[in-house]
Amino acid sequence: MEGALTPSGEDPECWHFGGATLRRARVALRLTRDLELNAASTALVLDLLDEIDALRSRLRRLGGD
């Protein structure tokens, strides 16, 4: 899932993952396990879920439900 999870740190021994990234990893694991998605499909679904969240936030800011 290249690009689906972004660590901070220079090299793998120093990588750190924030809370949002860990939540994203849990969702990715569930998608992979429950829906038997491959890495590319999982990354696509994660991006689409992010887009839905962004659109919902925008709608709330504009006064909609």
Side-chain angles (χ1 to χ4, degrees):
M1 277 188 307
E2 187 170 328
L5 304 173
T6 308
S8 59
E10 292 289 322
D11 50 68
E13 293 81 24
C14 298
W15 281 356
H16 295 280
F17 295 90
T21 302
L22 293 177
R23 281 188 297 279
R24 189 171 169 93
R26 282 193 294 271
V27 171
L29 178 62
R30 281 197 321 265
L31 289 168
T32 302
R33 183 186 56 224
D34 297 349
L35 301 178
E36 299 180 6
L37 298 179
N38 63 24
S41 297
T42 300
L44 174 62
V45 171
L46 289 171
D47 287 344
L48 292 172
L49 289 171
D50 288 345
E51 185 67 23
I52 289 169
D53 287 342
L55 290 169
R56 284 181 177 157
S57 293
R58 184 174 180 197
L59 183 59
R60 277 191 298 277
R61 282 194 312 273
L62 295 172
D65 289 319

